[in-house]
Amino acid sequence: MPYEEEILVPRRDDLSGVPLLGRTIAPEGSGLVLAEWEAAGRTTDQVAWQAPLHVHHTDDEAWYVLSGTLRLNIDGEYYDVPAGSGIVGPRGVPHTFGNPSEEPARYVLVMSATTQALLAELHGGFSGDVAALFEKYGCALLE
């Protein structure tokens, strides 16, 4: 999944009508980031997982599905979240998410600025110890 351009929006009146697909909206100084991304459909009989199983020690995350379906594993329980529905991954709870379908899924991810910084570093050409990177941002890689 590409983590592309970040939109920094400095004024409140600039917060509406910003195209989001493939981008994030992160107002300067805000601890909250919105991202609209697409999870490619699976090409085998396995779920197309978008992230390894991990836990955020201090940050919650939330997904709102725009089209398709996402499958979330939250603390060992599996939830299929269809378009028009959302789900929260609470801090301190192991989770991962993916696409169980052959069709792409579009979703909005609500995350902390800390989580966005982790993703930016991870997908920006990082080649070191991934578990240590997760720890740097207050997370633990569980698989």
Side-chain angles (χ1 to χ4, degrees):
M1 164 184 2
Y3 294 91
E4 297 181 11
E5 177 182 349
E6 183 172 13
I7 303 169
L8 294 176
V9 184
R11 297 188 331 259
R12 274 185 83 91
D13 60 349
D14 290 340
L15 295 179
S16 63
V18 177
L20 195 54
L21 184 59
R23 299 181 182 164
T24 59
I25 294 177
E28 275 184 5
S30 175
L32 183 66
V33 178
L34 285 178
E36 180 185 347
W37 288 324
E38 185 173 277
R42 63 180 170 78
T43 57
T44 69
D45 61 349
Q46 302 295 314
V47 173
W49 295 107
Q50 302 296 298
L53 186 66
H54 63 282
V55 63
H56 302 267
H57 298 298
T58 59
D59 297 320
D60 303 317
E61 286 182 290
W63 295 259
Y64 183 81
V65 181
L66 300 170
S67 65
T69 299
L70 286 180
R71 177 167 295 160
L72 278 91
N73 171 350
I74 299 177
D75 205 18
E77 297 287 330
Y78 290 86
Y79 303 89
D80 281 346
V81 183
S85 301
I87 192 166
V88 173
R91 72 191 80 174
V93 177
H95 65 279
T96 187
F97 69 101
N99 186 346
S101 171
E102 294 176 358
E103 301 300 318
R106 279 185 36 238
Y107 59 96
V108 172
L109 176 62
V110 181
M111 64 186 138
S112 70
T114 302
T115 299
Q116 170 59 21
L118 165 64
L119 294 175
E121 188 167 346
L122 182 63
H123 294 281
F126 181 79
S127 62
D129 180 352
V130 176
L133 180 66
F134 271 66
E135 288 177 21
K136 173 182 172 182
Y137 290 100
C139 304
L141 192 59
L142 302 175
E143 61 177 35

